[in-house]
Amino acid sequence: MRGRTNNLTIGERVAWYRYRRGLSQEVLAGLIGRTADWLGKIENNRIELDRLSVIKSLAEVLDVALGDLLGEPGLLDWNGDSGTTTVPALRAALMNYRAFSSFSGGTKTEPSNIAVLKKEVGALWDAYQDSRFGYVTGRLPDLLHRAQAAADHHDGDDQDQARRLLGLAYQLAATQLTKLGESDLAWIAADRGLAAVRPTGDPLVTGSLFRSVGHALHATGRYTEAVGFIEDAASYLEPHLKYATPALLSVYGTLFLSGSMAAARANDATTTRTFLAAADHAAGQLGADANHLWTAFGPTNVAIHRVATAAELGDLQVAIDLGPRVNTAGLPMERRVRHALEVARAYSSWNRVDDAQTVIFDAEQMAPEQVRHHFLSRQLALTWIRRQRGKPSAELVGLAQRLRVLD
């Protein structure tokens, strides 16, 4: 479906798939416990459809993937960072059968020195947190090949270290692919990462990869399963917390942040509050914002998730009251821009469209690739244009064109 519905809002995609399924507005609305009047307003862009729990319900009834209604995945542009090698090359790397140990003897990739590999993994994670999506995607295939070769070549402590680094490379692949809407590939990457680190018995890297598994479940709309998974993952880490390092504490706390989003998207307000409280407690123990193992974990990230979960639960009052007051200046770019999108959503829902557009324009200046690849920015831009009674502003049309939702 890539490209066929790029210029449609989510509501318009619902109408498009509803027509393909031969359903009336009355029937589809009834199947999700809503009224035909509500659905008509959704399809005509009179009501914003941005809560993933509602979008997931519609996707299930229409028998389409969540990404079909969100308009994902989007095509990753070629640029100076990416070159002309993007997702297909990463897909090929993930589906390389030689990644399985029984076939690894035939690989001709030169194994990397552990110190060099560690530096390269760290550099790509840093680039991801700078929202350089094309750069990361273009360089991950080679990194995965060389990390696998190192894990196959080395032995003893060096092999364990290589396996940890391979796991972190797979985690980065899963995280990046989730951002690009490639949820099925993200699941493969997360699964491969866990398989790579399992022989090491390292709770820190294993716990970090658990976060990617949770995100992959989110991306496919399996919110209830994600909540259960986070509970199991936290239980796995708890025995190791007695003398937890700041890194392990950050990984543990970040699990609950991921879980809080899953619970909110499952419309489970009680579990959302429980997970946020657990994350807040871990952030209090950490004492300040940090970025151990690229978690960006601390009190500010907890506040960001309070805003995001409130929006997912439909509590726009909390989102609009708290969102603009959260100071994200000390966090990595990826976190700052993700929060900006939530603030824009809250402003738009309260009909403060000028404020929402200002936030989006500023976010795009900071991280154009990230803004383009998030459904919220695409949805907001198209909805604003559809609601214009006169000719939309040149600035708004330019934004929609850059986001590839308007010709």
Side-chain angles (χ1 to χ4, degrees):
M1 294 309 302
R2 177 182 288 168
R4 292 193 62 183
T5 62
N6 282 355
N7 297 346
L8 303 182
T9 65
I10 296 174
E12 290 165 350
R13 286 192 194 96
V14 170
W16 194 84
Y17 283 109
R18 177 178 62 77
Y19 178 78
R20 291 288 304 273
R21 294 302 188 197
L23 299 175
S24 68
Q25 287 184 337
E26 291 78 6
V27 170
L28 177 57
L31 289 172
I32 65 166
R34 301 278 183 157
T35 66
D37 179 66
W38 173 88
L39 183 58
K41 291 177 180 177
I42 289 294
E43 292 184 350
N44 290 310
N45 302 308
R46 293 164 60 193
I47 299 176
E48 290 184 16
L49 183 57
D50 55 14
R51 291 183 60 195
L52 284 171
S53 59
V54 180
I55 299 170
K56 175 178 178 286
S57 297
L58 286 163
E60 288 177 343
V61 172
L62 291 168
D63 190 31
V64 298
L66 178 63
D68 290 330
L69 291 188
L70 297 180
E72 294 180 333
L75 188 67
L76 185 60
D77 288 337
W78 290 343
N79 57 37
D81 265 354
S82 70
T84 58
T85 302
T86 59
V87 174
L90 184 50
R91 178 183 290 110
L94 291 172
M95 300 185 74
N96 179 10
Y97 72 88
R98 293 194 183 280
F100 298 102
S101 59
S102 57
F103 298 107
S104 60
T107 181
K108 296 181 180 179
T109 304
E110 186 70 21
S112 295
N113 174 276
I114 296 299
V116 171
L117 192 62
K118 182 177 181 180
K119 182 178 179 180
E120 292 176 343
V121 169
L124 273 197
W125 266 104
D126 290 344
Y128 165 78
Q129 290 196 319
D130 285 338
S131 299
R132 297 174 63 189
F133 291 177
Y135 180 88
V136 173
T137 305
R139 284 155 180 77
L140 266 170
D142 179 63
L143 179 64
L144 288 171
H145 288 313
R146 289 187 294 104
Q148 182 67 61
D152 295 338
H153 172 79
H154 294 292
D155 54 21
D157 291 341
D158 281 350
Q159 184 179 57
D160 280 349
Q161 185 67 352
R163 285 171 172 165
R164 292 185 186 97
L165 292 168
L166 176 60
L168 289 172
Y170 273 123
Q171 183 190 354
L172 177 56
T175 303
Q176 181 65 89
L177 287 163
T178 300
K179 291 288 188 185
L180 298 177
E182 300 279 359
S183 54
D184 292 341
L185 287 179
W187 177 265
I188 293 173
D191 180 68
R192 287 280 182 87
L194 281 173
V197 302
R198 187 173 291 118
T200 70
D202 186 336
L204 176 63
V205 181
T206 300
S208 190
L209 274 151
F210 283 157
R211 179 163 52 111
S212 292
V213 174
H215 289 161
L217 289 169
H218 291 183
T220 55
R222 298 171 62 189
Y223 305 132
T224 301
E225 293 92 332
V227 169
F229 176 80
I230 293 300
E231 290 173 336
D232 290 342
S235 296
Y236 167 85
L237 290 181
E238 281 165 5
H240 303 280
L241 295 177
K242 187 174 182 180
Y243 303 105
T245 63
L248 184 58
L249 193 60
S250 297
V251 166
Y252 179 73
T254 306
L255 276 177
F256 286 111
L257 294 183
S258 174
S260 71
M261 291 301 299
R265 290 167 181 170
N267 274 320
D268 186 347
T270 299
T271 301
T272 299
R273 289 192 295 269
T274 299
F275 281 175
L276 285 173
D280 192 47
H281 179 70
Q285 289 181 288
L286 192 63
D289 291 333
N291 194 26
H292 299 290
L293 218 65
W294 304 282
T295 56
F297 183 69
T300 303
N301 209 348
V302 175
I304 285 175
H305 281 75
R306 289 193 189 281
V307 174
T309 54
E312 291 292 348
L313 289 167
D315 191 349
L316 294 175
Q317 183 70 55
V318 170
I320 199 67
D321 287 347
L322 178 59
R325 294 190 288 111
V326 178
N327 182 0
T328 62
L331 296 187
M333 184 62 70
E334 183 275 330
R335 289 286 81 203
R336 293 172 62 191
V337 170
R338 180 64 184 88
H339 178 64
L341 296 181
E342 289 295 346
V343 173
R345 164 161 63 165
Y347 277 144
S348 185
S349 297
W350 277 62
N351 206 30
R352 294 173 59 178
V353 176
D354 288 345
D355 291 329
Q357 289 183 12
T358 296
V359 172
I360 289 289
F361 286 133
D362 289 346
E364 189 195 21
Q365 285 290 317
M366 294 189 293
E369 289 181 282
Q370 183 175 354
V371 171
R372 192 198 153 199
H373 284 284
H374 201 284
F375 86 94
L376 278 178
S377 48
R378 300 195 305 266
Q379 168 75 3
L380 287 171
L382 262 182
T383 300
W384 293 333
I385 285 179
R386 296 289 196 269
R387 290 179 178 176
Q388 288 279 341
R389 293 183 179 178
K391 185 178 180 181
S393 69
E395 292 80 7
L396 182 54
V397 170
L399 173 67
Q401 290 174 335
R402 291 191 299 275
L403 297 182
R404 306 294 192 270
V405 294
L406 191 67
D407 293 331

